[in-house]
Amino acid sequence: MAKVSKKLKAVNAKVDKNKLYPITEAVKLAKETSITKFDATVEIAFNLNVDPRHADQQIRGALVLPGGTGKTQKVLVLTKTKAKEAQEAGADFVGAEELIQKIQKENWFDYDVIVATPEMMAELGKIGKILGPKGLMPNPKTGTVTPDVKKALEEIKKGKVEYRTDKEGNVHSILGKVSFKEENLLQNYSALLDVIRKAKPAAVKGTYIKNISVTTTMGPGIKVLIEH
């Protein structure tokens, strides 16, 4: 633990907590201050001037990151009508009520994303309290409730991420991996910033994006200069 502590002190010293770094510098610094032996995830957090208690200020959606995520997602498809299509498109698990029962009875979570065709939603509602807290409940807004299973799977495998505001008005997302080229991380940043800006609720007055920070697994937080 002492060695890690020394490493942490060393990388923390590289980051000025009071400085706002242009995104190009922030990404470079994030890569430099990663201290894990594995390929750490680069993450981003947007602190927004929204009140998620109001339905019209809840921000939620999904996008395919142009630079990818560096993460292989295991996908469960729940369907009665598109099982063959799901299997051919590369789903890791395909089923219907029997898999919903497995989740309910066995706490089965060997997957990262659930895609469901519309006819399954009544059944899925029964385990909403199990899936909801884990962020696994399919939703039409994020493209995970759809009759087009093939398209949904393709997007997820390419690097689709979901984003939503938490109770404090923050949006967290993956930006990529430390091993990514800086240009790929910057591409992903631009794509995320664009969708967050476009999602600005009409009710929000004044500054909308209050803070942006970038970090890596176990790395220090780096404040980003918001360019207008």
Side-chain angles (χ1 to χ4, degrees):
M1 291 300 288
K3 286 183 181 177
V4 174
S5 180
K6 283 180 183 177
K7 282 183 183 177
L8 270 174
K9 283 180 182 176
V11 295
N12 282 336
K14 288 185 177 183
V15 179
D16 183 343
K17 298 288 184 187
N18 298 312
K19 181 178 176 179
L20 297 174
Y21 292 88
I23 187 57
T24 49
E25 284 184 40
V27 162
K28 188 176 180 182
L29 200 52
K31 285 166 70 73
E32 287 176 2
T33 55
S34 177
I35 59 171
T36 59
K37 290 180 180 177
F38 56 88
D39 189 9
T41 299
V42 183
E43 298 169 6
I44 188 163
F46 297 86
N47 178 231
L48 307 177
N49 178 27
V50 296
D51 186 347
R53 290 175 298 177
H54 300 290
D56 63 342
Q57 293 187 47
Q58 291 171 3
I59 293 165
R60 183 172 190 178
L63 79 157
V64 177
L65 293 178
T69 62
K71 185 180 178 184
T72 304
Q73 301 268 60
K74 280 190 180 179
V75 185
L76 162 63
V77 176
L78 295 170
T79 180
K80 294 176 186 176
T81 55
K82 301 288 182 81
K84 187 181 178 186
E85 186 181 320
Q87 286 165 345
E88 289 174 352
D92 298 276
F93 307 100
V94 182
E97 289 94 338
E98 75 281 4
L99 293 186
I100 289 175
Q101 287 173 9
K102 186 175 181 179
I103 294 167
Q104 195 170 22
K105 292 176 181 177
E106 300 175 24
N107 272 339
W108 176 59
F109 297 111
D110 294 345
Y111 44 84
D112 303 295
V113 184
I114 300 176
V115 172
T117 44
E119 80 277 1
M120 296 302 300
M121 289 313 292
E123 292 293 323
L124 264 170
K126 296 173 184 176
I127 56 170
K129 287 183 179 178
I130 299 171
L131 298 178
K134 292 183 177 289
L136 288 168
M137 189 68 180
N139 190 298
K141 288 183 180 179
T142 59
T144 46
V145 176
T146 175
D148 196 344
V149 169
K150 184 181 178 184
K151 182 185 176 187
L153 279 160
E154 283 175 354
E155 289 182 343
I156 291 165
K157 298 290 184 181
K158 278 180 188 172
K160 185 177 184 178
V161 294
E162 295 183 15
Y163 58 88
R164 65 184 299 177
T165 41
D166 62 18
K167 290 177 183 177
E168 282 74 44
N170 300 307
V171 174
H172 298 270
S173 179
I174 292 171
L175 207 55
K177 292 285 187 180
V178 168
S179 62
F180 278 23
K181 292 180 180 177
E182 287 175 27
E183 63 196 64
N184 295 123
L185 293 169
L186 292 170
Q187 275 182 325
N188 289 347
Y189 172 79
S190 295
L192 278 162
L193 181 60
D194 189 47
V195 297
I196 295 295
R197 278 181 167 155
K198 286 178 179 174
K200 180 181 178 180
V204 172
K205 306 300 177 189
T207 301
Y208 168 49
I209 302 176
K210 296 197 286 187
N211 298 296
I212 302 175
S213 62
V214 171
T215 188
T216 61
T217 312
M218 290 173 63
I222 302 160
K223 293 178 181 176
V224 177
L225 177 67
I226 304 168
E227 296 172 3
H228 298 284

